[in-house]
Amino acid sequence: MQHFDVVILGAGFGGSLTALLLDRIGLSVALIDRGKHPRFSIGESSTPAAGYLLQSLSQKYDLPQFQPFCKYGTWQQACPDVACGVKRGFSYFVHQPDLRFQTDTAHGSELLVTANLSETLADTHWYRADVDEFFAKQVQNSNVLYLDQTEILLQRTDGWQISGSRNGEEVSLQAAFLIDASGAAGLVPRALGIRPQTEFATRSRAIYGHFRDVKLWDEVLEQNQVDRSDYPFACDLAALHHVLQEGWMWQLRFNNGITSAGLVLDERQAGMDWRQMLARYPAIEAQFAEASVVGPETGLVTTGRLQRGWTQCAGNDWALLPHTAGFIDPLHSTGIAQTLCGIERLVSVLEQHWKTDSRGDQLADYSKSLQIERSLIDGLVACCYRSRFDFNLFTASTLFYFAAATSFEHQRSQEQKQPLFLCADDSEFVRTVDRWLQLVSDWEQQPRFAKAEIRQAVEQAERMLAPWNRVGLFQPAVPNMYYYTAAPELEPR
């Protein structure tokens, strides 16, 4: 039997990065994965916060091979064979069923929010099959024991015993500490009998896959003679959102010709499949007229309810990474950044408290932090779902997320603070989001809403967000066109 300080379950980018960081601080580490790379994976849209966190971690723990992944320009220079996509920001387009896409001079059906100043400095969409494989290869070239294609059983005795088989050979490991990076599988909480969380404000399910030959949305707009001269960036070079009566669609384009696309449907009202949904929206259907599914090999993935979580996320000898601890919805592209934020926090705890009596308390704080972040993300996403009936209200709801994201970026890069992800430890901001969620939930139930009432509601949102509005939200020079919102580029600590 081999003995390790830490065994990590799951070799996505989060598990692999955590293994490398723990190796850097002097712990003995094994990384175990049930599958092998490369493989299809979803969760691909990065943000300025994610780039900053990855840069900070790679500098602090001397892992320079990850520095290029922080920006599109450096990624293309250093690792052009690892596929990714340009992400200049977020773009949103609202559609009405059975009608061609229409807008007006005030951009009443469009919202574009810029996150970076140029394509070179742009954030990225991570083509996870390539990215996860790259991270895993770094593990294989390190001191970490890497075991893929391994089936395991967990037993908690004095520490953890991990037994199983790999390619017909017996595997037997013992670990003082176990980290679960297995995502929805939740191997550790299931083994421990931890209760799942079941109460969420968001209710959504998804249908998704990877496609080839998805027509550019810009081409569809051109064909419909939509003026794009006010756009701060090419609308497809973004996390592109189509806002629908039943939910929304994401589109993320990679530089290998593949597009990640998915429908995320409000479970309270949507029962249609992929083809039925596209048939409802002619402009989107035109995008997919010649498209073909290329991943996963089994075809489009159809999920049940996306929202999940655990009521405890760490103990004295175990911890969950954020994506294992829970998930809400892909609407605000929070996954990569929250994972990196959680890894930073967990590795710091183990580095500073590995052999101290304070480790249990620190891990309890880590567990609580993941639950607090998950709750805030749930509220921010639910606000958008419940305000979809009017695009002005939906836009106001998205600005609650952008206020949180930019405040977090400013605090990390300029004020040298380490808040919880999206400032989830700011109790006044959390209460403000809760109040807005209650308001939009009440308005959603009203049969009619006059334009004057909508305008007053948006003005109310602006007043509510004033303490966290650092970047001119609600007052762009061109309606619904935000030319730059991220924190200034600074070197991380």
Side-chain angles (χ1 to χ4, degrees):
M1 179 180 293
Q2 295 177 280
H3 297 259
F4 295 89
D5 293 322
V6 181
V7 169
I8 300 171
L9 308 178
F13 81 87
S16 293
L17 180 60
T18 304
L20 291 165
L21 297 176
L22 294 178
D23 175 58
R24 278 289 193 266
I25 66 174
L27 299 180
S28 59
V29 184
L31 176 62
I32 301 175
D33 195 89
R34 182 179 181 180
K36 65 178 182 177
H37 294 292
R39 63 190 180 212
F40 174 86
S41 185
I42 213 74
E44 305 135 328
S45 185
S46 187
T47 57
Y52 177 86
L53 288 161
L54 183 58
Q55 185 179 24
S56 179
L57 288 168
S58 62
Q59 287 187 354
K60 181 177 180 180
Y61 294 97
D62 190 24
L63 292 169
Q65 65 267 44
F66 297 118
Q67 287 278 340
F69 292 88
C70 300
K71 297 293 180 184
Y72 182 77
T74 51
W75 187 323
Q76 292 309 291
Q77 290 175 353
C79 302
D81 55 328
V82 179
C84 68
V86 182
K87 183 181 179 185
R88 292 294 318 280
F90 296 77
S91 57
Y92 305 82
F93 302 87
V94 65
H95 299 254
Q96 302 304 322
D98 305 314
L99 299 175
R100 62 188 290 268
F101 177 78
Q102 300 180 61
T103 187
D104 53 42
T105 55
H107 301 293
S109 301
E110 307 144 297
L111 170 66
L112 278 77
V113 182
T114 312
N116 37 70
L117 292 171
S118 68
E119 188 169 310
T120 300
L121 296 173
D123 302 317
T124 50
H125 304 312
W126 292 16
Y127 184 64
R128 290 284 302 278
D130 283 4
V131 174
D132 288 4
E133 183 179 31
F134 180 91
F135 276 61
K137 284 181 177 178
Q138 308 313 302
V139 174
Q140 295 170 59
N141 293 329
S142 73
N143 297 319
V144 175
L145 175 67
Y146 180 79
L147 299 174
D148 63 357
Q149 303 179 79
T150 303
E151 297 284 347
I152 63 165
L153 291 173
L154 300 177
Q155 184 178 0
R156 197 182 191 192
T157 53
D158 182 16
W160 292 87
Q161 292 204 7
I162 301 101
S163 59
S165 63
R166 180 177 189 255
N167 298 328
E169 296 184 4
E170 181 181 344
V171 171
S172 182
L173 309 177
Q174 188 170 39
F177 197 92
L178 199 58
I179 294 176
D180 192 339
S182 67
L187 299 176
V188 171
R190 294 183 198 280
L192 293 174
I194 305 295
R195 288 186 299 109
Q197 180 181 344
T198 57
E199 296 297 321
F200 300 94
T202 309
R203 297 189 62 92
S204 60
R205 64 181 183 90
I207 311 168
Y208 61 83
H210 284 169
F211 298 80
R212 285 198 183 275
D213 299 320
V214 177
K215 182 181 289 188
L216 289 169
W217 178 239
D218 188 70
E219 291 184 20
V220 176
L221 295 177
E222 173 70 23
Q223 291 167 1
N224 285 303
Q225 299 181 322
V226 174
D227 181 10
R228 286 101 62 216
S229 60
D230 285 337
Y231 289 6
F233 52 82
C235 57
D236 292 278
L237 300 182
L240 191 150
H241 303 69
H242 290 306
V243 183
L244 314 174
Q245 187 179 86
E246 300 83 3
W248 63 285
M249 171 185 272
W250 82 73
Q251 293 180 14
L252 311 174
R253 292 183 179 270
F254 306 112
N255 56 11
N256 59 1
I258 291 175
T259 298
S260 172
L263 289 163
V264 193
L265 306 176
D266 192 328
E267 222 189 25
R268 298 173 301 164
Q269 55 182 253
M272 288 179 281
D273 63 19
W274 180 270
R275 291 185 180 278
Q276 290 171 321
M277 284 296 301
L278 261 59
R280 292 260 288 166
Y281 296 96
I284 302 174
E285 188 176 37
Q287 280 193 277
F288 288 84
E290 299 179 4
S292 58
V293 179
V294 295
E297 293 181 357
T298 53
L300 290 177
V301 177
T302 300
T303 75
R305 188 177 180 186
L306 291 172
Q307 292 70 51
R308 56 178 174 81
W310 299 101
T311 54
Q312 184 181 352
C313 302
N316 191 56
D317 60 355
W318 63 277
L320 312 181
L321 289 193
H323 189 61
T324 305
F327 180 72
I328 299 300
D329 189 278
L331 180 62
H332 294 316
S333 300
T334 53
I336 294 174
Q338 191 193 13
T339 291
L340 294 171
C341 196
I343 289 171
E344 178 185 58
R345 199 177 309 133
L346 177 59
V347 171
S348 179
V349 167
L350 296 181
E351 182 177 18
Q352 298 176 39
H353 303 276
W354 178 250
K355 291 185 177 180
T356 70
D357 293 337
S358 58
R359 189 174 82 179
D361 290 339
Q362 292 295 318
L363 287 164
D365 288 344
Y366 170 79
S367 175
K368 184 178 179 181
S369 73
L370 295 184
Q371 293 167 315
I372 292 171
E373 289 171 351
R374 185 172 67 224
S375 178
L376 175 59
I377 293 170
D378 185 25
L380 290 168
V381 171
C383 287
C384 291
Y385 273 89
R386 297 183 189 183
S387 55
R388 289 193 330 276
F389 65 91
D390 183 274
F391 192 61
N392 290 305
L393 277 183
F394 175 87
T395 295
S397 291
T398 67
L399 298 184
F400 279 77
Y401 161 73
F402 288 114
T406 51
S407 292
F408 175 78
E409 293 159 11
H410 275 79
Q411 288 189 28
R412 285 299 306 258
S413 66
Q414 291 191 293
E415 299 174 18
Q416 304 296 289
K417 296 180 181 178
Q418 288 193 330
L420 295 189
F421 183 54
L422 298 181
C423 304
D425 48 349
D426 183 337
S427 58
E428 184 56 37
F429 179 72
V430 171
R431 284 193 292 270
T432 299
V433 173
D434 288 343
R435 289 198 298 273
W436 182 250
L437 176 58
Q438 185 59 59
L439 287 170
V440 295
S441 298
D442 291 343
W443 294 332
E444 184 187 34
Q445 303 305 313
Q446 296 184 21
R448 293 185 180 180
F449 221 84
K451 288 185 178 181
E453 293 176 296
I454 294 289
R455 185 168 56 253
Q456 291 170 3
V458 172
E459 291 171 353
Q460 182 174 359
E462 183 176 8
R463 291 192 297 271
M464 293 170 69
L465 277 180
W468 303 277
N469 186 359
R470 302 167 180 258
V471 292
L473 302 175
F474 296 94
Q475 299 295 335
V478 177
N480 284 352
M481 299 290 133
Y482 290 88
Y483 288 88
Y484 188 60
T485 59
E489 297 286 335
L490 289 180
E491 290 296 318
R493 289 182 293 160

